[in-house]
Structure formats: structure tokens, C-alpha cells
Amino acid sequence: MSKLTCLAAIGLLSLGFSLSAQAQETLTIQQAIERMLQNNLNIKRAVLNVSSAAVDLQQSKAALYPSLNANADNNLSFGRGLNSTTFQVVNQKFYQGSGTLSASVDVFGGLSKINQIRQNKILLDAGNSNLDKVKNDLILQVVTSYFQVVFNVELLKASKEQLLVAQQTQEREEALMDAGNKTVADVSQAKAQAATAELNVTNAQNQLTISYLTLSQLMEMRTETNEYSVVAPTVQDIAMAQKVFNVNDVFNSSMSVFPDVKLAALNRQAAEKGIAVARGALTPRLSFGGNLGSSYSYLLAAESQNQHFFDQIGARFNQGIGLSLQIPIFNGLQARSNVKRAKINYEDFKLQENLTKNNLYKVIAQAIADLRAADSRYSSTLNTFNAQKDAFNVIEQRYNVGLVNSLDYNTSRTNRNKAETDFIQAKYDLLFRSKVIDYYLGRQINF
């Protein structure tokens, strides 16, 4: 391939990329997060759990109201049976019915219902905190995937540039061999370098495709990888990432905003109310009730004379009120066992809350240590890349005038390419680590 042909191909490729970019939607990291929050099915399931907790709270409040029930019975008797009109046993066919309206209300039950309402309020808050936790966990996954896409985009760009240089070197070596200034070994080595660069482009393209797929799946988007593009960070973003954080300051700030901590505290509070609910079963239960009722009956024999329906209803109308006291004495230790289980459950949630706080402190300490290491590695790789780039420029100039052999030239170029790849990786690692700190601080993640 001639140099002119290569440049033409690059020009057409650039034009194709330009037209493709115009058709693509540019997706910022904040937009990616918003799409995930709108579409993710795990979030929708968490919303349903919150709705279920709200129903539980509403039902527990309604349990304080008096209960009202109506009942109607109708029977057709054959053979011997009790006539409800005469209260005699007769051997006749007769039809009889009755109806009752009853109401009852708990006067005292160890405050179980009140404590149940309080517990359900806490559980509703816990459901909302769990929803925030689900969102928060998925946000971190989106941020991770988005940075992987951005990293792979730049890595692919660098790989293509390295491939172009390798192809140009191969063309130059072939031209010099035709002129008698290079050997077959020199050309073979140049071809090997070009083949390696081409493989790097293929690998980078595959990694980019997979990272796009991962990000699309998190957003529940059924799209091709070329239907949207991502936004690369700026120099200012890198400067903002080079901050120094104190572990205790980040931890104290995170304690008030991180949903995992709030969820653990609410679960512990709900478990504490669960003890009070269970203890209510150990106390006597007093309830008040009343009822209204009446009945009627008809003999089905032809010679029978039955009283009028409304006369029967009026004559048999009855009403009553009463108090019911239930005192638990011994029921197989069920109530006491429930109290013990509730206490054990409470202690378990206390441990879970402490464990959540301890784990949060550990991951924040690790995140800050990772950020410091990433900052140091970024500075080192930047210096190495600049040094390798300058060294390669000198070697290339000397190579072009025949003062350096092809082996030294290819070695210098390989070192330069590796330094560039290391630098790109270190740059995005630094940016990602800084966003992790923002994540724990509850800040909006964008660039």
C-alpha cells in the first residue's frame, strides 16, 4: 500500500466516523445514570416492595377500627328436625333462615396493634431506604461501566494511531528494500510490528464492544453499540480528581447520606418494635362486642299456616352486648418463644448495623488509598510516557538518516506504545477512583 493510498483510506475512515458521530446520540454519564434509574427492573421491583409496605401500614392502622360483619343462614330440612318456631322436633319439611349483624372492638391487647403500626412505619421507611440502596448500587455499576467504555474508546483510538505508524513504517521498509538499503529481515520485522498493532486494534475493538454492551444492559437499552457515544473527561476533570481526602471526614459525611447505613439502622429499629409486638401476646386481651339478629321459618306442608315473614322477624328480633376477656396462661410457650425470637432478631440487626458501619469505613479507607495510589501512578505514567515519546522521536529521526538499526527503532516504538497504554489506563483509573469518593459522599456524579 502506497503512502498516498494509506492517507486516502485514513481520510475516508475519518469521514465515515464523522458521519457516524452525527447520527449517534451523545450520552453523558449523568444521562446514563438517569436512564438506568428509569428503566432498571430491579428498581421497579424495589418500588413494588415499598408499595407493599405502605399497604401493610394502612392495614395495621385499620386493625384499630371496630369490626362489623353480617351473616345470613338459610336451610331446607327434610325428615325429623327442630322447628325454630315451636322449638319442637317434627317430621316435616320446613324452611328456616336467620340473620345476624355483629360488631366488636379490642379495648386492650397489650398495645400490640399500636406497636405493630409503629413497626410498620419504620418498615416503610426501611423500604424507601432499600430503594435508595438499590439505586445507589446500580449507580456505581453504571459509573464503572461508563468509565470502561470511555477508557476503551481512547485505547482503541491510540491503537489505531499506533497501527497507522506501523503500516507507514512497513511501507518505508519495503520501499528501502526495493532500493537495496534494507534487508528481508528488516521488512519481516516491520510486518510483525504491523501485525501486532493490528491485533491490538482488534482486541481494543472487542473490549469496546463488550463494555458498550454491559452499559446498555444496565440501562435496559436494546441498542447496537454504534447507536450512542460517550463523553470523554476534560483536563479540568483530571485536575479535580487529584484531591486529598481524609478517611474520617469522608466516613462521617457518608454516615448521614449513605443508604446502606440508614437501612441498617431502620431494620434495627423495626426489630426493636418487634419485641414490643411479641410481648403483647403475653398480656390479657379485652374486647367489647354487640350483635343484632332475627330468624324465620316456614312449614312446607299444605295444611300448615305460617306466620307472616315480617311478623316472625319482629317477634324473634334479638340483640346483645358483651365483654370478652382472654387471659393467656399456657399455650405451649408459643408467646414466650416469639418474644425470645424477637430479641434474638433484634440483636442480629444490631450486629448487622455495626457490621455495615465497619464495612463502610473499610471500603472508604480502601477507596482513599486506591485514589492516592492512582494519583501517584498517573504522575509516574505521565512522566514515563513523555520520556518514552521524546526518546522515540529522537530514535525515529536517527533511524530516518540511517544512524539507528530497525531493531532499536522497533524496541523504542514498542516502549513508547506501552507507555501510552499505561498512561491511558492510569488516567481513567484516577478519574474512576475520584468518582468513587463522590459516590460515598452522596455527590452527583458527572464530568
Side-chain angles (χ1 to χ4, degrees), residues 299-428:
L299 293 174
L300 300 180
E303 70 279 5
S304 301
Q305 293 184 354
N306 295 302
Q307 190 178 11
H308 193 273
F309 173 78
F310 290 106
D311 292 337
Q312 293 188 56
I313 293 294
R316 301 179 189 179
F317 180 75
N318 60 85
Q319 59 276 334
I321 59 173
L323 287 173
S324 174
L325 178 63
Q326 183 180 4
I327 302 174
I329 298 175
F330 181 77
N331 293 285
L333 298 179
Q334 182 177 359
R336 294 187 182 277
S337 297
N338 289 338
V339 173
K340 291 179 180 179
R341 292 190 189 96
K343 289 181 178 180
I344 294 172
N345 192 48
Y346 170 68
E347 294 297 328
D348 182 54
F349 277 110
K350 280 179 62 178
L351 292 176
Q352 290 186 35
E353 182 181 12
N354 291 331
L355 184 61
T356 299
K357 293 178 181 178
N358 291 342
N359 288 339
L360 178 61
Y361 185 87
K362 291 177 182 178
V363 296
I364 288 177
Q366 184 64 53
I368 292 177
D370 291 340
L371 177 61
R372 292 172 181 170
D375 190 14
S376 299
R377 186 168 181 268
Y378 170 76
S379 300
S380 298
T381 55
L382 176 59
N383 294 333
T384 302
F385 176 52
N386 289 332
Q388 291 289 352
K389 184 167 56 174
D390 293 340
F392 175 70
N393 290 335
V394 173
I395 294 293
E396 187 176 34
Q397 294 174 6
R398 300 183 65 186
Y399 174 75
N400 291 334
V401 296
L403 296 178
V404 173
N405 58 41
S406 58
L407 177 61
D408 292 338
Y409 172 76
N410 289 328
T411 300
S412 178
R413 187 176 63 192
T414 300
N415 292 337
R416 183 261 181 206
N417 293 345
K418 182 179 183 304
E420 183 180 18
T421 302
D422 292 342
F423 168 67
I424 294 173
Q425 187 175 14
K427 178 175 67 174
Y428 284 103

Side-chain angles (χ1 to χ4, degrees), residues 20 69 100 112 151 236 255 277 291 299 368 393 405 414 446:
S20 175
N69 297 283
T100 58
S112 291
F151 164 70
Q236 289 79 8
M255 284 283 290
V277 173
N291 63 81
L299 293 174
I368 292 177
N393 290 335
N405 58 41
T414 300
N446 51 31

